[in-house]
Structures are given as C-alpha cells and as structure tokens.
Amino acid sequence: EILVGTFAKGGRHDVVDAIAAARRAQPAWAATPWKERLAIIRKAGDLISARQMEYAALMAYEVGKTRLEALGEVEEAADLLRYYAQTFEDNKGFDHPMGNLGDSSVHTRSIPRPHGVFAVIAPFNFPMALAAGPTSAALIAGNATVLKPASAGAMSGVMLMEAYRDAGLPAGLFNLVMGPGDTVGRELRENPGIDGIVFTGSSEVGMDLYRTFSTRFPRPCIVEMGGKNPAIVTKKADLEEAAEGIVRSAFGFQGQKCSANSRIYVERPVRDELVRLLVEKTEKLVEIGRAHV
C-alpha cells in the first residue's frame, strides 16, 4: 500500500551515455590528490550515518527488511566508505619505494594506477551496503563508476547517489542506471568502455559473467555468489546461545542473503540437544508468522 518511488527504466543507450560520462570525468578525478578523494568519500559516509533513520525506513519499505536489519545495513554502508578510506590512508596511498639490486642511481616505486571505469551490479538483499562498498573502493582508487541497482532496490541506489552528490563528488564519477539485467546488465558486460566489473547475485549469472567479461584482454571481474556458511558448535558451548545465533543467521531476512548460516558442525555429545533447541526456536518463528497473517 506504500509507493516508495517511481523510477526510470533504463535501456542499453542509457548505459552507453553513463559510460561516456564516466570516461569524461575519470581522468581529472584520477589526477586529484588521493587525500582530497578520501575527504569526499568520508563526508559521504558521514552523511549516510546522519541520514540513517530515513534511509533505513525507506529500505525497510522497499525490500522488506526488519527495522534492525535496515538500520544495520545503512550504517554498514557508511562503515565501508570509512574503512576503505582509512585503509588507503594507512597505506599512504599505496605509493611505496621498492628495493633495487644495489645501484644507488636506480629508484623504483610501487604506484597504484586506476583502471578507468568500474561497473557495479548490486543485489536486492543488501541494496545499499553492496553498492556502497565496491563503488567507494573504486572511487577512492581514482576510478569512475556505473551502478546498476537491483530492480527491487532502486531507492537504495538513489540514496547512495544523494550521499555522494551532497558530499561534493564531481559529476560523472557515480552514474546510476536502473533497468533489467538483459539490457542494462548486458551492456555493462559487453561495452568496451567498462574496465572492470563487480557483481553480487546468483551463481548462474556470476559464473556467466566470469567466463565472458574478459574477451580481448583481461579485465578485473569480481563476482560474489554467496556461500555455504558454517557454524561450529563444541560440546562446551552455551547451546541456548548457539541455537539462537544459528536461527537468527539462517532465517533473518528469510535466509535470502549470502551470509545466512546454512550448515552446522556440532560435536556428537551435544548434537541431539542442539537439534531440539533449533527445532523449538524455528517452530516459534513459524507461529509468529502465522499470527501476523
């Protein structure tokens, strides 16, 4: 019953325009001193934190997260911006002298160079954090970005864009194109103006991207497709606490996340009691769900 927003449905031509804008803006950004780049990204992180309540409420409406999960994700997005900025600063911009073979007239350095334009394809289940992380890392390193949010998470993409814009990020460095994977996503994969890509989503799409993104020459392709995350429960564990943590991890956000607990290694002496507690707690979740219906 709540209209979160009305969004444009982009096509391949919109992606082409976004990539062109990114390529125009990137050289000047790469030439900007890294400390100035960091200041902008940190300010964006502070703005996200300051707007946590508003952003979390919109996220809860948009993708169905609980209040606690939405608040946590918004702050996680801000933390990722601050973390990457701090890591870059701690490593002094990753500009370091290197050794030589003893000739004092020879000086060698390791100096980071941006790739150019990174595409980021974000998932619906962490629509802000998994867009903020890769885009901020790319921007800090001197790249421009094109973000395709999940169709179910478009508002979170807009909120991230607002934070970057209000922090003073120059135009053209963060480009937002909404639309389906078979048009917007395909253009991001096939367009030679994309120098690297980050994807979070299904194994089918991720592996296809991994196999087909680099054709004429190698390009960075980072794909994250979830995992089989284990819990390890020893016979000395607090079984009540272990069961509570497992149930929350496995069924939070209906289990629709890569971080969901999906298997358990338990010492045999406490196996039966742990199973009993897990069944008991899981049945209560079902009862709560029926009560709400």
Side-chain angles (χ1 to χ4, degrees):
E1 298 176 352
I2 298 172
L3 178 64
V4 176
T6 302
F7 306 97
K9 181 180 179 181
R12 296 186 73 142
H13 64 284
D14 297 301
V15 181
V16 171
D17 290 344
I19 294 171
R23 299 203 72 81
R24 287 193 299 269
Q26 189 269 332
W29 179 246
T32 301
W34 61 264
K35 290 184 179 180
E36 294 181 23
R37 298 201 300 260
L38 261 56
I40 293 174
I41 298 302
R42 281 177 165 142
K43 185 176 180 180
D46 292 342
L47 288 173
I48 291 172
S49 290
R51 299 167 180 176
Q52 184 189 39
M53 296 298 176
E54 176 191 356
Y55 284 2
L58 288 169
M59 183 185 295
Y61 286 139
E62 183 173 49
V63 300
K65 289 204 167 192
T66 64
R67 179 170 63 98
L68 184 61
E69 288 172 326
L71 287 166
E73 183 180 340
V74 172
E75 191 58 24
E76 180 186 6
D79 282 345
L80 285 167
L81 268 65
R82 290 188 279 260
Y83 169 77
Y84 287 132
Q86 189 62 48
T87 299
F88 206 82
E89 184 172 53
D90 289 345
N91 286 276
K92 298 178 174 59
F94 292 94
D95 181 346
H96 302 298
M98 298 175 67
N100 57 49
L101 297 178
D103 186 344
S104 61
S105 66
V106 176
H107 301 279
T108 57
R109 299 190 70 81
S110 173
I111 302 173
R113 295 294 188 209
H115 284 277
V117 177
F118 261 84
V120 175
I121 301 176
F124 82 96
N125 54 358
F126 289 94
M128 178 168 280
L130 292 182
T135 56
S136 64
L139 289 165
I140 284 171
N143 300 284
T145 58
V146 180
L147 171 66
K148 176 199 161 335
S151 296
M155 178 58 79
S156 294
V158 171
M159 293 186 292
L160 179 61
M161 178 194 69
E162 291 174 345
Y164 281 138
R165 179 198 63 199
D166 296 347
L169 187 70
L173 295 173
F174 179 85
N175 302 272
L176 180 64
V177 184
M178 305 166 193
D182 58 357
T183 52
V184 172
R186 185 175 295 274
E187 184 64 33
L188 289 172
R189 180 182 68 180
E190 297 176 357
N191 193 299
I194 294 294
D195 300 295
I197 195 165
V198 182
F199 167 83
T200 307
S202 70
S203 295
E204 180 183 4
V205 175
M207 291 308 298
D208 181 63
L209 188 63
Y210 173 73
R211 295 186 185 103
T212 60
F213 179 63
S214 293
T215 52
R216 294 179 301 156
F217 53 88
R219 293 182 290 173
C221 180
I222 304 169
V223 291
E224 192 266 286
M225 301 162 287
K228 299 295 292 181
N229 306 298
I232 300 173
V233 183
T234 71
K235 61 185 179 183
K236 295 182 179 179
D238 180 329
L239 295 185
E240 177 68 29
E241 185 175 346
E244 184 69 23
I246 289 167
V247 169
R248 286 178 177 269
S249 176
F251 301 118
F253 199 44
Q254 301 83 46
Q256 301 175 108
K257 52 185 179 179
C258 56
S259 55
N261 182 202
S262 57
R263 51 182 175 159
I264 304 163
Y265 296 102
V266 55
E267 284 198 89
R268 195 175 303 277
V270 296
R271 183 260 185 196
D272 291 345
E273 178 62 13
L274 179 66
V275 170
R276 186 191 69 77
L277 288 168
L278 289 174
V279 171
E280 179 183 287
K281 291 178 180 295
T282 303
E283 285 178 341
K284 288 180 180 178
L285 292 177
V286 174
E287 290 169 4
I288 292 170
R290 287 174 180 166
H292 281 298
V293 171

